Amino acid sequence: DGNDLGIRVDPKSNKIRGQLLDFPQIMLKRPTIPDKGNFIIKSHIYDQNASLSNWMIVFNSRDEELAFQFAHKLNECSKSLGIKVNKPKMQGISIAKDAKSIRDDEITKAIEKNAGIGMVLVFLPKQNADRVYKKVKVYCNQVAGIPSQFFTNWSFKFTKNIENLSVASKVLMQMCAKMKAKIWKVQTPVDVNVNGHQVMIVGADVFHKSMHESVTSVVSSYDKDFCSYYSQTSVQKRKGDDTLYDIAEKVKLAARRYVKENKHPPNIIVVYRDGVGQGQIESVREKELKSLIKGLQQEFNGKAVKLAYIIVTKRLSDRFFVSVQGQLDNPQGGLIVDSEVVKEDQFDYFMVAQAVSRNQGTATPTNYNVIYNDTDLKAETFYEMTYFQCFSYYNWSGPLKVPAVIMMANKQALVVGSTHSKDNRDTVESLKDGPFYL
């Protein structure tokens, strides 16, 4: 209240108004509402035609029993998920007695020998796994053009307990997602449904890592349900460069994929741009936004395709708390703060999408700064679209801190950037239609 310096702090000065969005409906075979934001998939997934067929398991011959047990466990959990799992081709690799693990060239030769398979699952012990993983990923993504899954969980005990079925279920759903199955669908904002908006959502990021090339990553939705995504990457000419110089070309290709799927272009494109600091926003306006607007006009012959460009900032010192029975606590997921602490002359908002329990620490918000918007979408529609997107990442059954397109762009950039081959080969085109990097 007061002190020797005569300074008084208004006890209400840190109180601001926010709003809580309702949890979205999650569509599986039977719709469900998340409990505190999270949900457990125990019933059939959304895609009634999902299957794992024409696939192969590659393993060290010494681990044959383990590989067969895991194949059986995948088949066991497939029934409750409504996924058809065919018997895999089992490819054991015999290695020398003094060798600790199978080599990457032995794995790639096994895949090459079985041309035409649709998915490969590789059993790999953790020792030496990183080097082998990178080389096999490069081969699968840039040469063979098949999705791949690696299993290194050697603490897995093959019993009938629920925990092990859960591990197998997650691996199975991840594999099916890479093969373009729709594991679940999140409800779409009311405004999008009612007013006939054809929306394409885009996530964009740039990957930087020591000793690796800088890689741009763009992921875009191409179906009306926001369940199917087209993924693109490219190598920056200069390491460490954050500017997406080719954003116009990538969004044009994304729009063409949308047209191929829907037989009409999107009339609204919403771009979530990650990895931009406050000091870079003007550069983004000049080098990315202007070229994108011009590119869309060229692509659609001047037809009205509306655009929103949103800067996503994750690293913030801001914190928001709610008062529960006189005690401060983390907000439940879906908190929106769009007044008092936002910029008066701009459209920006904070969101705490993820649910964080008190013993996990404090929930950190994400800031969304809409630096360009010529759409007729309401502010509430942006809030809902952003929040619902946080539930659409198939590697996590609950809300993320950021929209799924951002998480997928991050993940694709990490996988491609970390495994990128020096000859600058691109990902095989057939893989770009699905999240091969999950």
Side-chain angles (χ1 to χ4, degrees), residues 23 45 110 119 151 159 179 224 248 277 285 319 334 397 413 416-417:
F23 295 132
I45 65 171
M119 161 67 76
F151 188 81
T159 60
M179 298 181 74
K224 62 182 178 62
R285 290 184 198 273
R319 296 291 185 273
S397 52
V416 174

Side-chain angles (χ1 to χ4, degrees), residues 11 19 44 66 117 120 140 173 176 198-199 226 229 240 255 284 291 296 304 308 325 372 387 392 437:
Q19 60 174 302
H44 286 203
L66 185 70
I117 59 167
V120 60
C140 290
M173 286 188 286
C176 287
Q198 286 101 37
V199 180
F226 306 126
Y229 296 91
V284 168
S291 69
L296 292 177
Q325 297 178 340
Y372 182 87
Y387 184 47
S392 295
Y437 38 82

Side-chain angles (χ1 to χ4, degrees), residues 101-108 122-125 127-139 150 419:
S101 179
I102 46 179
R103 301 192 312 266
D104 54 89
D105 62 322
E106 293 172 323
I107 298 170
T108 55
V122 180
F123 268 73
L124 207 59
Q127 64 266 27
N128 226 19
D130 193 47
R131 183 186 62 80
V132 174
Y133 166 85
K134 288 180 180 179
K135 292 194 174 183
V136 176
K137 273 290 181 186
V138 167
Y139 176 80
F150 289 76
T419 63

Side-chain angles (χ1 to χ4, degrees), residues 73-300:
K73 192 66 67 176
L74 289 174
N75 186 62
E76 187 181 339
C77 68
S78 70
K79 297 174 177 61
S80 62
L81 297 173
I83 300 170
K84 183 181 178 182
V85 175
N86 292 344
K87 190 176 180 180
K89 180 174 181 58
M90 305 297 289
Q91 183 68 60
I93 296 176
S94 298
I95 64 173
K97 288 184 179 180
D98 57 343
K100 293 182 179 180
S101 179
I102 46 179
R103 301 192 312 266
D104 54 89
D105 62 322
E106 293 172 323
I107 298 170
T108 55
K109 283 177 184 175
I111 296 170
E112 187 178 14
K113 191 172 85 172
N114 293 276
I117 59 167
M119 161 67 76
V120 60
L121 170 62
V122 180
F123 268 73
L124 207 59
K126 286 187 177 177
Q127 64 266 27
N128 226 19
D130 193 47
R131 183 186 62 80
V132 174
Y133 166 85
K134 288 180 180 179
K135 292 194 174 183
V136 176
K137 273 290 181 186
V138 167
Y139 176 80
C140 290
N141 294 347
Q142 300 181 2
V143 180
I146 59 170
S148 54
Q149 182 76 32
F150 289 76
F151 188 81
T152 59
N153 187 359
W154 295 85
S155 62
F156 189 94
K157 296 185 181 359
F158 292 95
T159 60
K160 291 186 177 181
N161 66 38
I162 295 173
E163 182 184 349
N164 288 334
L165 273 178
S166 174
V167 171
S169 294
K170 287 177 181 177
V171 172
L172 179 58
M173 286 188 286
Q174 195 174 28
M175 292 169 72
C176 287
K178 289 177 180 179
M179 298 181 74
K180 307 171 193 175
K182 299 179 180 182
I183 309 301
W184 64 80
K185 171 192 163 187
V186 183
Q187 75 175 81
T188 49
V190 174
D191 184 32
V192 172
N193 288 332
V194 172
N195 293 316
H197 295 304
Q198 286 101 37
V199 180
M200 183 176 83
I201 301 177
V202 179
D205 191 21
V206 183
F207 165 88
H208 305 296
K209 190 175 180 182
S210 176
M211 306 300 291
H212 292 276
E213 302 285 351
S214 295
V215 173
T216 66
S217 176
V218 174
V219 174
S220 55
S221 65
Y222 62 82
D223 70 331
K224 62 182 178 62
D225 295 327
F226 306 126
C227 289
S228 300
Y229 296 91
Y230 183 63
S231 304
Q232 306 172 68
T233 57
S234 62
V235 178
Q236 294 284 66
K237 291 181 179 178
R238 291 181 299 145
K239 287 186 181 181
D241 195 337
D242 280 320
T243 303
L244 280 163
Y245 297 100
D246 59 350
I247 185 68
E249 286 305 311
K250 281 190 166 48
V251 174
K252 284 197 284 187
L253 288 173
R256 289 172 199 171
R257 183 64 189 88
Y258 184 100
V259 170
K260 181 181 177 182
E261 185 74 14
N262 300 282
K263 313 307 178 192
H264 61 75
N267 55 25
I268 292 177
I269 298 175
V270 178
V271 179
Y272 291 96
R273 172 68 160 96
D274 194 15
V276 175
Q278 289 298 311
Q280 297 172 289
I281 291 179
E282 280 310 308
S283 176
V284 168
R285 290 184 198 273
E286 290 297 316
K287 297 177 182 178
E288 295 182 13
L289 185 54
K290 284 185 177 180
S291 69
L292 178 54
I293 293 169
K294 182 180 178 181
L296 292 177
Q297 289 173 342
Q298 292 171 342
E299 181 72 11
F300 298 107

Side-chain angles (χ1 to χ4, degrees), residues 418-431:
S418 298
T419 63
H420 180 72
S421 58
K422 291 181 180 179
D423 55 5
N424 287 343
R425 287 178 300 195
D426 194 9
T427 302
V428 174
E429 190 65 31
S430 60
L431 284 183

Side-chain angles (χ1 to χ4, degrees), residues 16-87:
I16 57 174
R17 285 167 43 179
Q19 60 174 302
L20 281 175
L21 301 179
D22 292 331
F23 295 132
Q25 192 174 50
I26 306 297
M27 313 291 184
L28 298 161
K29 185 178 181 181
R30 296 186 185 88
T32 184
I33 298 292
D35 177 24
K36 296 181 179 178
N38 297 310
F39 53 98
I40 299 173
I41 301 176
K42 295 181 178 179
S43 60
H44 286 203
I45 65 171
Y46 180 71
D47 193 336
Q48 299 300 293
N49 298 311
S51 65
L52 190 58
S53 58
N54 189 27
W55 63 297
M56 178 173 74
I57 299 180
V58 178
F59 54 92
N60 183 336
S61 294
R62 299 174 189 169
D63 301 318
E64 182 175 28
E65 184 180 355
L66 185 70
F68 272 88
Q69 285 180 329
F70 192 65
H72 176 74
K73 192 66 67 176
L74 289 174
N75 186 62
E76 187 181 339
C77 68
S78 70
K79 297 174 177 61
S80 62
L81 297 173
I83 300 170
K84 183 181 178 182
V85 175
N86 292 344
K87 190 176 180 180

